[in-house]
C-alpha cells in the first residue's frame, strides 16, 4: 500500500511538472506572437509614414538563410539526369562539360551551372499550366523550382522559373522553358549545384532590418512607390570556380512600381545576373 501511495505521489508530481512546463511553453508562444504582432504594426506604421501601404501578401516578419558554398557532385548529377531522362548514356566533353543522352532527350551541363536540354515528347501541357509542367519535370530529377515566382518569358509560349536551394529561391539561377503547342521541348538556363560545401557563420539581417534599410534607400535615392507587394528571402549565386559557387542571402522586395534585391549581409543593393 505504501509503495502504491508513493507511486501516486510521484505521478502527481510529474503531472504537475508537465502542466507547469506546458504553461511556460504556451506563455512563451503567446509572448512571442504578441511581440511579432507589435513589430509588424511598427513596420507597417514606418512604411505608412513614408507613403507605402502593406499589401496582403507582404509577410513582414521573416528570416533570411545563411550564406553557403555549393559545388558540383557528379554522382548526384547522374541521379538528377536519371530522374529526367531515365536510362541514359553520358560523355565527358572536356572543359567541365558533360553530355547526357537517352531516347527521351539530351542534356548538356557546364561547370558554371549552365545547361541546355532537348526533350522528346512526353511532357504535355494540355491539362496543366506551363509552370506546373516545368516544375513536375525537374521534380522527377530531385530539383526544386520556385513556382510562386514564375514569369512569362520574352518569347511566346515560354516560361521562366528560378531554382531553389533548401526551399529558398535562387533568383539568378533561372531556367527558360520553351513550349510548342501542347509540349515542352527546350530548356536552357542555369542550375544550382547540388552539394553543400560550406556555411558562413555570419547572421544575415532579418526582415525588420531589411525593411528599415529599404526605407532609408527610398529617402536617399528618391525611390517612389505606394505599395509593398511582397518581401521574400532568397539567394543570388556567384560562380567562383568551375563547379563551385557561393549562395549569398538577399531580400527580394517587390513594390507596385519596381523591385530590388538587398544583400542580407551588407544591406547593399544587388543586381542579379543570370
Amino acid at each position: 500500500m505504501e509503495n502504491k501511495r508513493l507511486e501516486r505521489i510521484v505521478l502527481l508530481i510529474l503531472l504537475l511538472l508537465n502542466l507547469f512546463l506546458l504553461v511556460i511553453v504556451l506563455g512563451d508562444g503567446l509572448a512571442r506572437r504578441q511581440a511579432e504582432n507589435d513589430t509588424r504594426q511598427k513596420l507597417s506604421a514606418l512604411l505608412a509614414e513614408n507613403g507605402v501601404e502593406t499589401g496582403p501578401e507582404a509577410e513582414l516578419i521573416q528570416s533570411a538563410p545563411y550564406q553557403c558554398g555549393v559545388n558540383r557532385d557528379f554522382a548526384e548529377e547522374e541521379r538528377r539526369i536519371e530522374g529526367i531522362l531515365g536510362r541514359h548514356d553520358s560523355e565527358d566533353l572536356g572543359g567541365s562539360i558533360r553530355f547526357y543522352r537517352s531516347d527521351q532527350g539530351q542534356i548538356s551541363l557546364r561547370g558554371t551551372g549552365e545547361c541546355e536540354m532537348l526533350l522528346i515528347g512526353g511532357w504535355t501541357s494540355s491539362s496543366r499550366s506551363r509552370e506546373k509542367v516545368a516544375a513536375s519535370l525537374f521534380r522527377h530529377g530531385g530539383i526544386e523550382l520556385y513556382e510562386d515566382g514564375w514569369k512569362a518569358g520574352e518569347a511566346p509560349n515560354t516560361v521562366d522559373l528560378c531554382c531553389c536551394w533548401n526551399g529558398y529561391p535562387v533568383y539568378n539561377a533561372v531556367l527558360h522553358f520553351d513550349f510548342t503547342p501542347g509540349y515542352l521541348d527546350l530548356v536552357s538556363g542555369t542550375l544550382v549545384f547540388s552539394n553543400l560545401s560550406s556555411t558562413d557563420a555570419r547572421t544575415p539581417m532579418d526582415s525588420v532590418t531589411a525593411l528599415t534599410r529599404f526605407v532609408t534607400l527610398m529617402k536617399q535615392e528618391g525611390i517612389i512607390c505606394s505599395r509593398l507587394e511582397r518581401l521574400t528571402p532568397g539567394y543570388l549565386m556567384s560562380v567562383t570556380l568551375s563547379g563551385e559557387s557561393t549562395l549569398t542571402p538577399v531580400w527580394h522586395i517587390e513594390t507596385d512600381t519596381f523591385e530590388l534585391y538587398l544583400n542580407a549581409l551588407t544591406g547593399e543593393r544587388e543586381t542579379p545576373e543570370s
Side-chain angles (χ1 to χ4, degrees):
M1 293 294 292
E2 187 66 26
N3 288 338
K4 290 185 178 180
R5 187 178 296 110
L6 288 174
E7 288 178 2
R8 293 194 188 99
I9 293 173
V10 171
L11 289 174
L12 179 60
I13 292 172
L14 291 174
L15 177 60
L16 292 173
L17 178 60
N18 287 335
L19 288 173
F20 177 70
L21 293 175
L22 178 60
V23 169
I24 292 177
V25 170
L26 292 176
D28 286 346
L30 181 61
R32 183 167 55 253
R33 287 192 295 273
Q34 184 60 52
E36 288 182 356
N37 287 334
D38 291 344
T39 302
R40 191 175 288 110
Q41 291 174 7
K42 290 177 181 178
L43 284 173
S44 295
L46 174 64
L47 292 168
E49 289 171 5
N50 290 273
V52 182
E53 67 173 333
T54 304
E57 295 186 7
E59 175 52 58
L60 302 183
I61 307 299
Q62 301 183 70
S63 58
Y66 280 74
Q67 179 168 291
C68 62
V70 293
N71 58 25
R72 191 176 187 182
D73 183 323
F74 289 111
E76 178 61 25
E77 184 170 295
E78 286 279 358
R79 286 190 287 271
R80 286 181 166 187
I81 299 301
E82 181 84 20
I84 297 173
L85 294 183
R87 293 177 61 87
H88 61 275
D89 298 320
S90 62
E91 182 180 358
D92 187 345
L93 301 181
S96 297
I97 303 173
R98 289 212 172 188
F99 183 74
Y100 303 90
R101 179 193 292 111
S102 79
D103 57 4
Q104 297 184 47
Q106 58 190 43
I107 299 175
S108 67
L109 295 174
R110 295 177 171 82
T112 56
E114 293 174 282
C115 68
E116 290 86 29
M117 305 184 186
L118 170 64
L119 303 172
I120 303 173
W123 292 97
T124 177
S125 62
S126 58
S127 60
R128 292 180 293 174
S129 62
R130 293 189 177 108
E131 64 272 15
K132 295 295 183 184
V133 173
S136 177
L137 167 64
F138 276 78
R139 198 175 297 118
H140 278 72
I143 302 170
E144 182 185 2
L145 301 182
Y146 184 50
E147 294 181 60
D148 289 343
W150 75 272
K151 296 180 179 179
E154 295 182 1
N157 301 316
T158 61
V159 171
D160 294 347
L161 290 96
C162 59
C163 299
C164 288
W165 175 262
N166 281 346
Y168 290 97
V170 183
Y171 293 109
N172 59 343
V174 180
L175 294 171
H176 312 282
F177 296 86
D178 194 338
F179 292 80
T180 56
Y183 291 94
L184 171 60
D185 289 328
L186 300 172
V187 183
S188 62
T190 304
L191 287 170
V192 181
F193 298 130
S194 59
N195 184 62
L196 177 67
S197 58
S198 64
T199 301
D200 194 311
R202 290 176 293 173
T203 301
M205 65 173 62
D206 58 17
S207 58
V208 177
T209 307
L211 286 173
T212 303
R213 172 63 176 157
F214 168 62
V215 170
T216 300
L217 285 175
M218 287 181 60
K219 296 175 179 178
Q220 290 177 345
E221 301 181 13
I223 296 172
I224 299 176
C225 65
S226 61
R227 186 182 180 90
L228 174 65
E229 301 289 359
R230 187 180 295 185
L231 173 69
T232 313
Y235 288 108
L236 290 180
M237 181 177 77
S238 57
V239 178
T240 52
L241 294 171
S242 179
E244 299 180 12
S245 66
T246 299
L247 299 180
T248 300
V250 295
W251 286 100
H252 183 202
I253 299 175
E254 300 173 76
T255 75
D256 57 330
T257 59
F258 73 101
E259 59 184 281
L260 63 81
Y261 297 85
L262 284 182
N263 187 308
L265 295 177
T266 66
E268 298 301 316
R269 293 185 68 167
E270 296 282 356
T271 301
E273 297 181 1
S274 56

